[in-house]
Amino acid sequence: MSSEHQAEREEHVTRQVLESFAGSTTPRYREIMEALVRHSHALVREVRLTEQEWEQGIDFLTRCGQISDDRRQELILLSDVLGLSMLTIAANAPEEPTATESTVFGPFFVDGAPEVPFGGDIAQGASGQPCWVSGQVRGTDGSPVAGARLDVWEADDGGLYDVQHEGDVTQGRGHLFSDEQGGYGFWGVTPTPYPIPHDGPVGDLLAAAGRSPMRPAHLHVMVTAPGYHRLVTHAFVAGDDNQRGDAVFGVKESLVADFVEQPAGSPNPTGRRLDGAWRKVSFDIVLNPETRTDERRSIPSGRREGA
Ligand SMILES: [Fe+2]
């Protein structure tokens, strides 16, 4: 068979599949599915995918699904290590240089974490060096944002989140609200670097690529407030070498903060009794007003046609 004939045979398949989405229920659905078909078919052509490799791919995705449950999310992890999570964030990030930058959501958020008051402790027994985290929530115009909800979550000093431990414990996570001046403050533990779960298919992917599963030390922060665009971000710990090879490409220079060690016995913001050294970090949060991002989000062609 000539190569021309072969190419025509392959393109015929792609055309047929593209046409099958002509009756999609929304223009946006059609746009996304057609792009998925075009790009995935192009991949098969580009690498001349073998049937055995196709089977391996199916097996890999099957294993990603099978290992996932309400405490483990392998597909977010897959998106993270392929940089798809960070690319989606970049594609949606408002172009406001003064706002706090976004980074990956990650697979370890759990809905319904307990509320802690100002000065409360989210560690709840998680092992690690105590760390006082405080700052102010503001808008890009500099005005304080009162009543902003901060969801925070982090691993213990063994590099594990509560959901990775046996049993149904809630540790190292919680939510709190900013005060009238936008201020917030809580106790947690000093973040430490950790490997993403690499005992499953995503771990196999990294091993096959000769890649490290390590993430630099970080605290997860998600901030929501009426009238503002939701922020999903991290505070990274300054001086951590792992920032150079983050397995999920999440590091942004502007999010690196000084977690300053305080000697044992030094007074702390809530008068808490502490046996040893502790740390403190100041992490201000600047939110984008909702309207600006809403305008950007109305760009998809489907909605434009309908407008
Ligand atoms: Fe994390």
Side-chain angles (χ1 to χ4, degrees):
M1 189 188 304
S2 73
S3 61
E4 215 172 289
H5 188 203
Q6 174 67 20
E8 170 51 35
R9 197 168 65 150
E10 291 174 12
E11 275 156 29
H12 176 69
V13 177
T14 304
R15 267 199 312 277
Q16 269 190 314
V17 182
L18 288 173
E19 281 165 15
S20 76
F21 285 97
S24 293
T25 47
T26 68
R28 180 64 172 160
Y29 182 73
R30 179 177 176 180
E31 180 183 12
I32 292 173
M33 293 309 293
E34 286 184 350
L36 175 68
V37 171
R38 277 197 312 275
H39 290 277
S40 57
H41 285 218
L43 182 145
V44 172
R45 286 197 197 89
E46 180 182 324
V47 304
R48 307 309 303 169
L49 193 74
T50 68
E51 285 166 279
Q52 191 198 3
E53 288 161 344
W54 176 88
E55 274 173 32
Q56 281 177 347
I58 295 295
D59 176 61
F60 175 83
L61 291 173
T62 304
R63 287 193 294 131
C64 285
Q66 285 170 339
I67 204 170
S68 296
D69 55 27
D70 56 357
R71 295 168 78 85
R72 177 160 183 167
Q73 232 305 354
E74 197 77 357
L75 288 156
I76 291 183
L77 210 53
L78 176 61
S79 167
D80 289 352
V81 302
L82 292 178
L84 285 171
S85 306
M86 281 309 287
L87 180 60
T88 305
I89 289 163
N92 287 280
E95 293 167 20
E96 174 50 72
T98 61
T100 302
E101 290 194 279
S102 309
T103 188
V104 283
F105 188 62
F108 294 118
F109 176 76
V110 176
D111 243 336
E115 181 176 350
V116 294
F118 185 95
D121 183 14
I122 65 152
Q124 293 300 311
S127 63
Q129 183 185 44
C131 182
W132 173 251
V133 184
S134 66
Q136 188 197 29
V137 185
R138 303 189 285 274
T140 46
D141 62 356
S143 55
V145 179
R149 176 180 168 133
L150 292 90
D151 279 273
V152 290
W153 64 106
E154 61 173 343
D156 60 24
D157 64 357
L160 294 174
Y161 287 82
D162 53 1
V163 290
Q164 295 174 285
H165 286 291
E166 290 298 316
D168 199 15
V169 292
T170 298
Q171 293 178 328
R173 65 179 73 245
H175 74 273
L176 63 157
F177 294 91
S178 61
D179 63 21
E180 284 306 306
Q181 287 76 45
Y184 75 90
F186 65 91
W187 286 98
V189 295
T190 303
T192 51
Y194 67 81
I196 59 169
H198 56 111
D199 58 343
V202 170
D204 295 345
L205 180 157
L206 293 176
R211 281 174 52 180
S212 163
M214 290 304 292
R215 290 220 62 206
H218 61 273
L219 167 76
H220 291 262
V221 185
M222 176 166 72
V223 188
T224 46
Y228 292 90
H229 185 52
R230 185 180 78 158
L231 173 71
V232 175
T233 194
H234 296 359
F236 291 97
V237 181
D240 179 359
D241 288 344
N242 291 288
Q243 281 162 17
R244 279 198 291 276
D246 186 359
V248 306
F249 312 98
V251 178
K252 289 181 175 173
E253 199 57 43
S254 69
L255 302 177
V256 177
D258 283 324
F259 285 66
V260 186
E261 188 153 77
Q262 309 295 310
S266 54
N268 68 66
T270 59
R272 184 178 168 189
R273 261 187 67 182
L274 297 169
D275 294 331
W278 52 284
R279 288 192 193 229
K280 67 175 180 184
V281 61
S282 175
F283 191 70
D284 288 348
I285 287 154
V286 182
L287 299 177
N288 273 294
E290 206 162 46
T291 47
R292 198 166 302 173
T293 48
D294 283 353
E295 282 162 23
R296 286 172 51 80
R297 292 199 164 201
S298 65
I299 288 169
S301 60
R303 279 183 238 158
R304 205 167 51 217
E305 280 162 21

